[in-house]
Amino acid sequence: MIDRRTLLGSGLALAVTPAFAADTPAFVSKRPAPADRRFVSKAVEREIARVSSKIADPKLHWMFGNCYPNTLDTTVKMGVVDGKPDAFVITGDIDALWLRDSSAQVRPYLHLAKEDADLRRLYQGLIARQARCILLDPYANAFLADPHAHTKLSWALHDRTEMKPGVAERKWEIDSLCYPIRLAHDYWKATGDTSPFDAQWAESARTIIRTFREQQRKDGPGPYRFLRSSDRPTETLMLDGYGPPSRPVGLIHCGFRPSDDACVYPFLIPSNYFAVTVLRELAVLAMATRKDSALANDATALAGEVEAALREYGTMRLRDGREVIAYEVDGFGNAIFMDDANVPSLSSLAYLRCVDRNEPLWRRTADAAWSEANPYWSRGKVVEGIGGPHVGLGQVWPMSLIMRGFSYDGDVRTLRNILRMLSNSDAGTGFIHEAVNQDDPSKFTRDWFAWANGLFGELLVHLAAAQPRLLQETL
């Protein structure tokens, strides 16, 4: 088991793989042997064949075949709890379920679930597992397969917070509660299946709303605090574990970003946008599956409150006078502009359906994030894109390229460049990594990162419909 914190260290302890030989005569599949695959879906196998037939570039074709099924091949553990399906989906090289990652990892197969009973069983099991996790501790970001076990993650062993059995790590991240709502809503939309939305699920949804309201901190700091001994300030929260000061304005406080790095200002704007969107989706879901008007009304009311606060406090001006969406604010008038590759980010708001991708304010923001206005954007000899403080400067996350691909899918020239950079970022492994050195992608972090692999596959499935002629080109 790879310890991600040891792997990352200060951002310099990167895995090194020999440079890829461009004249490799054949691309051998990197998938596990059929007997060793953790989960098999006939619909997914058909989709791999369908989309692969549309990809002319041999390396892109090879990478799609490796990446698209990676979550199913390597990270799914199916079981039964109380007579119902249970699915535990690890993030890859860490044997724990992140609420965010697990939801995003299975998203690329949603459009196939209606025709595949096995896939539906996977989604039913994961929705139920996530509901139990949220009821165990809504402030935790990662969980163990055994709800009675204690964390073995070396970096979390001595955290000063209310650690419970079954919790792998307890970093409060707004998006950890957003992603399960998004997964549940989109599964229902894709299949019409209402079976996962039982009393346990409804209680977990009410817990999400209660937790969001606690973290508006209108009546004090709330119950969550977190301290960790580390040589990196991004690993702990200041002011006795409650985080930086803020003024209660209706936004939801966030301890940590989707990168698991501590926020500089406690109102993480992309995550607040995501919360508004999924709360409204929760309202629709609650009425459609349970006729629960109380739950729907609570979700709608909170969404409206946060949205109003976003309009008042969620923007800022750059030095050149452009108005953009801020990355973080504190309610006192302080704000920072940057973007981090992890989703939700400013760059991903259109992908997450939080904004219309043609909305001028967001388009200005996304363009600024992909420029020197963002201290974590960089351009190297091989790739350009957005990284973040989690790994260090000059480290581009391929995930940022994928998000840009979804948002600029009408710009063939931009897409072609993105596909080339993604193809050049794998260091010959056939997979997408967490971060790669902008000048030498053979230096990378995480050789098994299922979320990024799935996102890459999802992008190519999307382009097969949106830009089929582009996929007929060789890079």
Side-chain angles (χ1 to χ4, degrees):
M1 183 51 55
I2 298 175
D3 179 335
R4 180 168 62 164
R5 303 299 167 179
T6 300
L7 177 68
L8 297 179
S10 64
L12 299 177
L14 308 179
V16 178
T17 297
F20 177 68
D23 59 351
T24 300
F27 297 103
V28 178
S29 173
K30 293 294 188 73
R31 297 182 66 184
D36 296 328
R37 295 171 188 170
R38 304 300 300 265
F39 188 96
V40 176
S41 161
K42 293 180 180 179
V44 170
E45 296 303 320
R46 289 193 296 269
E47 186 74 339
I48 294 170
R50 182 188 73 84
V51 176
S52 293
S53 70
K54 299 177 182 295
I55 304 173
D57 184 82
K59 184 168 183 195
L60 210 60
H61 181 283
W62 175 61
M63 290 179 66
F64 174 75
N66 295 332
C67 292
Y68 185 62
N70 187 243
T71 286
L72 301 184
D73 285 352
T74 65
T75 71
V76 174
K77 302 176 183 179
M78 292 298 300
V80 176
V81 172
D82 296 330
K84 298 179 180 180
D86 172 54
F88 191 81
V89 180
I90 66 172
T91 186
D93 52 21
I94 307 172
D95 191 19
L97 177 148
W98 262 253
L99 292 174
R100 169 185 56 253
D101 292 41
S102 62
S103 300
Q105 284 168 238
V106 300
R107 176 173 181 76
Y109 320 119
L110 271 171
H111 66 293
L112 305 171
K114 189 172 184 177
E115 63 184 273
D116 190 322
D118 289 333
L119 270 182
R120 292 195 298 276
R121 186 169 59 90
L122 166 61
Y123 288 110
Q124 292 163 2
L126 182 55
I127 290 168
R129 166 68 73 154
Q130 290 180 339
R132 293 195 300 274
C133 289
I134 291 165
L135 290 172
L136 173 64
D137 187 352
Y139 285 104
N141 56 331
F143 295 84
L144 304 171
D146 181 356
H148 305 293
H150 294 276
T151 188
K152 294 182 179 178
L153 301 182
S154 60
W155 56 87
L157 289 175
H158 305 294
D159 290 345
R160 284 181 283 167
T161 188
E162 190 183 346
M163 285 292 282
K164 299 177 181 179
V167 170
E169 186 174 53
R170 195 174 191 253
K171 287 184 169 180
W172 163 237
E173 302 162 3
I174 293 173
D175 67 280
S176 291
L177 298 186
C178 293
Y179 270 101
I181 298 174
R182 170 58 56 83
L183 174 64
H185 173 270
D186 286 6
Y187 172 73
W188 164 71
K189 289 284 287 186
T191 65
D193 179 15
T194 63
S195 64
F197 308 111
D198 55 13
Q200 176 181 257
W201 175 83
E203 183 60 28
S204 75
R206 286 189 286 270
T207 299
I208 289 172
I209 294 175
R210 184 181 70 248
T211 304
F212 283 165
R213 288 202 175 277
E214 286 175 352
Q215 288 306 311
Q216 287 180 300
R217 299 192 183 183
K218 294 178 179 178
D219 302 310
Y224 177 79
R225 60 192 292 268
F226 181 95
L227 289 165
R228 171 177 290 174
S229 296
S230 174
D231 59 0
R232 297 196 299 165
T234 53
E235 285 298 297
T236 192
L237 296 180
M238 62 186 298
L239 295 180
D240 201 31
Y242 289 103
S246 66
R247 189 164 70 90
V249 295
L251 294 170
I252 303 167
H253 287 69
C254 197
F256 294 86
R257 300 166 177 168
S259 61
D260 301 336
D261 292 337
C263 295
V264 173
Y265 293 133
F267 297 133
L268 180 58
I269 297 302
S271 291
N272 272 267
Y273 265 95
F274 196 19
V276 169
T277 303
V278 300
L279 283 167
R280 291 189 170 134
E281 292 171 351
L282 174 57
V284 172
L285 186 59
M287 288 301 298
T289 64
R290 296 185 57 81
K291 301 295 187 290
D292 192 335
S293 58
L295 177 57
N297 290 340
D298 284 349
T300 300
L302 180 56
E305 190 176 331
V306 177
E307 182 180 51
L310 281 169
R311 285 197 298 268
E312 186 168 356
Y313 297 96
T315 60
M316 62 182 295
R317 290 197 179 274
L318 301 178
R319 286 177 59 85
D320 60 11
R322 284 180 293 169
E323 184 184 28
V324 294
I325 302 171
Y327 187 70
E328 291 171 352
V329 304
D330 64 359
F332 291 109
N334 299 302
I336 58 172
F337 183 79
M338 57 165 280
D339 206 17
D340 191 299
N342 284 269
V343 180
S345 60
L346 293 174
S347 301
S348 67
L349 289 178
Y351 168 81
L352 292 173
R353 307 198 297 263
C354 300
V355 298
D356 185 292
R357 65 179 183 175
N358 295 316
E359 204 281 321
L361 174 63
W362 178 74
R363 186 60 76 173
R364 283 196 304 273
T365 303
D367 287 343
W370 201 271
S371 77
E372 292 180 351
N374 174 15
Y376 295 103
W377 175 86
S378 63
R379 174 182 290 149
K381 298 176 181 177
V382 181
V383 295
E384 68 174 280
I386 299 170
H390 195 70
V391 178
L393 298 177
Q395 310 300 320
V396 172
W397 290 54
M399 186 179 294
S400 71
L401 290 160
I402 296 169
M403 286 297 103
R404 190 163 178 83
F406 275 111
S407 300
Y408 287 74
D409 63 3
D411 184 342
V412 174
R413 182 177 179 181
T414 294
L415 283 172
R416 185 180 294 113
N417 191 38
I418 285 171
L419 292 178
R420 284 172 178 160
M421 288 191 289
L422 288 170
S423 177
N424 291 333
S425 76
D426 77 316
T429 66
F431 292 102
I432 302 296
H433 302 123
E434 179 188 55
V436 299
N437 182 281
Q438 64 183 20
D439 298 317
D440 183 1
S442 69
K443 300 174 182 177
F444 61 84
T445 62
R446 302 191 71 178
D447 56 4
W448 179 18
F449 186 25
W451 179 14
N453 288 326
L455 269 178
F456 172 75
E458 184 182 349
L459 176 63
L460 291 188
V461 171
H462 172 72
L463 294 179
Q467 292 288 354
R469 290 186 179 180
L470 175 61
L471 293 188
Q472 292 169 11
E473 299 179 8
T474 54
L475 301 177

